[in-house]
Amino acid sequence: MLKIREMCVTLHGILKKSHILMKQIKTTYLLIAILLGSLAACSKMSETETELYDDAAITSFVLGTMNRYVNGVKSTYTGSEYLFHINQANRTVYNTDSLPMGTDVAHVVCGISTYNNSMAYLVSLDGTYMTYHISSDSVDFTTPRTFRVFSSSDVGYTDYTVKVNVHKEDPDSFVWKKMANIPVMTGLRTLMFNDQIYVFGNESGTTKAYVTDFGDGWTPVALPTMVDADTWKNTVATADSLYIMGGKKIYRTKDLTTWDEDKSDIMEATSIDQLIGASDQEIYALANSMLMTKYSGNLSLDTWVPADFETDFNKENLPTTDYTFTCYPMAWSDSTDYVMMGGTKQTDGVWHGHAWRRIVDYSELGILSELKKLIEEAMSGSETVNPSWIRQWTYIDRSSNRLYELPALKSLQILYYGDELLAFGCQSYQNNIAPLAAFWRSRDNGITWKQDVRYTMPPKDGTTKFNNAATSISAVVDNANNIWIVSAGTGEVWRGRLNRVAWEN
């Protein structure tokens, strides 16, 4: 009986294990069935929802963090701040705003977005193989690289040339180049006219003129017979005309070939004594120690208008010498310019720089049309004229605080350059500033002036006498954002530029 009981217990154990084994087998088959069903469902979904495209195009290119090395010192900057353009017509990708000088473009991390799931591959430098581009990969962009973009349907591809531009120059370096000399003169004036640079000066007792097309030479210009020894200082240019004065006659030309006498009326004055400057569409002169203005644009205003006719005007604050003018567009205002006039004057035995500013609306629907009506009324004898609201010269008065005032320099020059005003000149009247020693910069339209070390004068060496020219200089900014300085005493001509300003041209 004991053996039979033991056999039953053993048989029960075997059956129990068999039941458990069968249960495990059933569970395994169930899991396999579920997996196969899922695969079938995914396959069915793939067949109905996944779509392949024939397009192959790059839609965006972005740089990651960039490394920069200057004088052995490493720094980083955000490369995504530099926008890359994609020309889909010729399949090129490039940045118009070049990366800073010293940027490491041999190890660049970049992100590429494509159209309709197309895939970008980087072609090796020797063109023998390709690698799928991953945004964490480093790419050598020291030369332009080719990216081949394959369509998701694998029916075609498109090649793009990617170029990463880097500045080769320090943006804040001022670079000078010595140009061909001009004949030595005792005084001169430099002008931009018809996209060329003209120099007028006193050479051997009479006014001579020369022109250059930004090359290395100067060509003589034929002038009317009425010129005299002082005509060079009575020469000004607007956007479309050049004016010169010999004796008391003023002549105007548009091509330096045909000259016509200007016989404009003069209000409240007998004659013009000196032409002292010009803006794009106005010329300025002195008559009986009064500042005069004549409009020279398309709106016919053949009348010289005294400054005290336009507004209250205290001529006691006018400069007496070293007159210099520049004009530049007024931000956010169409057909409107700032005009800056500078010069020097001695007050109580001390020489000071004097600055005046004028805002001019050139539009025919603006204040010019009102000014024309006003002049016509005044010339007809009307006693109801009240022009003070139209336009005015504003004196920048620094008499109460001479700190940061315009420097009193011989041959004072004021130029508009890089969205700022620059002033420089020959030796100071107090003899405490050497000739051509520094630049002064104004960022508030001529109110304050501070020396700026970013702007440097031409170098001193054994072959140049330029920095010792204490007699007379003249300067102008050309269309390529270069500053030209001409020395009367030595005939030397230098062309310079601040790199970042010239790059904007």
Side-chain angles (χ1 to χ4, degrees), residues 314-360:
N314 183 4
K315 65 181 182 180
E316 296 302 318
N317 293 316
L318 275 178
T320 56
T321 188
D322 305 303
Y323 281 96
T324 178
F325 283 77
T326 189
C327 76
Y328 50 101
M330 185 177 178
W332 316 115
S333 184
D334 186 36
S335 302
T336 305
D337 280 352
Y338 275 113
V339 179
M340 177 61 59
M341 174 179 68
T344 59
K345 182 179 181 178
Q346 189 177 35
T347 304
D348 297 329
V350 179
W351 286 89
H352 293 283
H354 288 252
W356 289 75
R357 188 172 64 197
R358 175 181 179 86
I359 298 176
V360 184

Side-chain angles (χ1 to χ4, degrees), residues 149-194:
V149 184
F150 290 90
S151 64
S152 58
S153 64
D154 200 27
V155 299
Y157 63 84
T158 304
D159 283 346
Y160 285 82
T161 300
V162 180
K163 184 179 182 181
V164 178
N165 295 309
V166 183
H167 283 304
K168 305 300 182 183
E169 302 169 316
D170 181 357
D172 290 321
S173 291
F174 204 98
V175 182
W176 287 99
K177 178 182 178 181
K178 191 175 185 309
M179 310 302 288
N181 281 10
I182 203 165
V184 174
M185 303 178 184
T186 58
L188 53 78
R189 180 169 290 180
T190 308
L191 305 170
M192 274 294 298
F193 180 65
N194 286 347

Side-chain angles (χ1 to χ4, degrees), residues 195-214:
D195 298 327
Q196 293 179 302
I197 296 177
Y198 289 84
V199 175
F200 294 79
N202 185 330
E203 182 183 346
S204 302
T206 188
T207 294
K208 296 290 183 68
Y210 297 88
V211 62
T212 182
D213 57 356
F214 314 117

Side-chain angles (χ1 to χ4, degrees), residues 61 82-88 92-97 161:
F61 182 92
Y82 290 81
L83 179 65
F84 274 75
H85 300 274
I86 301 175
N87 188 321
Q88 298 292 359
T92 56
V93 181
Y94 57 94
N95 55 316
T96 53
D97 185 7
T161 300

Side-chain angles (χ1 to χ4, degrees), residues 382-455:
S382 173
E383 298 180 356
T384 60
V385 174
N386 182 17
S388 61
W389 59 272
I390 290 186
R391 62 168 68 184
Q392 63 180 0
W393 281 99
T394 301
Y395 175 54
I396 301 177
D397 190 356
R398 300 304 307 277
S399 59
S400 61
N401 183 1
R402 296 294 184 182
L403 185 65
Y404 302 129
E405 71 175 350
L406 179 68
L409 303 174
K410 299 176 182 179
S411 289
L412 177 65
Q413 307 291 307
I414 294 180
L415 301 176
Y416 180 67
Y417 189 73
D419 298 328
E420 300 169 336
L421 290 172
L422 297 180
F424 57 95
C426 291
Q427 189 170 2
S428 66
Y429 283 92
Q430 284 81 12
N431 294 325
N432 60 345
I433 301 175
L436 299 168
F439 281 90
W440 283 258
R441 178 171 63 108
S442 175
R443 304 180 66 180
D444 52 14
N445 295 308
I447 299 174
T448 58
W449 299 85
K450 299 178 182 180
Q451 287 193 32
D452 195 320
V453 296
R454 292 177 304 171
Y455 296 90

Side-chain angles (χ1 to χ4, degrees), residues 223-289:
L223 296 176
T225 56
M226 43 72 66
V227 300
D228 54 31
D230 292 330
T231 295
W232 67 269
K233 67 175 66 173
N234 290 286
T235 303
V236 297
T238 62
D240 66 354
S241 299
L242 188 143
Y243 295 81
I244 63 174
M245 186 172 79
K248 291 296 183 179
K249 291 186 176 182
I250 299 174
Y251 283 79
R252 172 181 179 177
T253 182
K254 291 181 178 292
D255 54 12
L256 277 94
T257 299
T258 303
W259 298 81
D260 299 313
E261 185 177 355
D262 185 285
K263 298 181 179 180
S264 301
D265 296 321
I266 303 177
M267 294 180 59
E268 302 179 10
T270 57
S271 63
I272 297 298
D273 297 323
Q274 182 183 350
L275 300 180
I276 57 175
S279 61
D280 278 350
Q281 298 193 37
E282 291 184 337
I283 58 176
Y284 310 108
L286 293 176
N288 297 341
S289 299

